[in-house]
Amino acid sequence: MSTTHWLIVLAVFGFIVSSVYYIYKSARKFNLTEEQKQKIAERNKAWEKEEREED
């Protein structure tokens, strides 16, 4: 492979790595309150109940 091909490969590899790193750094964890967690749990139970009734 010529030098040009190696430069293209390195540029593509760098682009992929930098994109993944940017996504990793920009991701945030959810800080939910206990009330929000409870609502989510209740909603999941309701969905599971509906799915059981459909079967």
Side-chain angles (χ1 to χ4, degrees):
M1 288 174 50
S2 68
T3 306
T4 307
H5 288 118
W6 280 111
L7 288 175
I8 292 171
V9 168
L10 288 175
V12 169
F13 182 73
F15 178 74
I16 292 170
V17 170
S18 65
S19 298
V20 170
Y21 182 73
Y22 177 75
I23 291 170
Y24 171 76
K25 284 305 220 180
S26 65
R28 297 184 196 152
K29 293 184 178 181
F30 292 105
N31 295 324
L32 300 176
T33 63
E34 290 301 318
E35 181 180 331
Q36 290 171 324
K37 290 177 185 177
Q38 185 180 12
K39 286 182 182 179
I40 291 170
E42 290 172 2
R43 192 174 9 182
N44 287 342
K45 287 179 185 177
W47 285 341
E48 288 175 4
K49 183 179 177 183
E50 288 177 13
E51 286 178 358
R52 282 189 224 125
E53 290 175 357
E54 290 176 0
D55 291 338

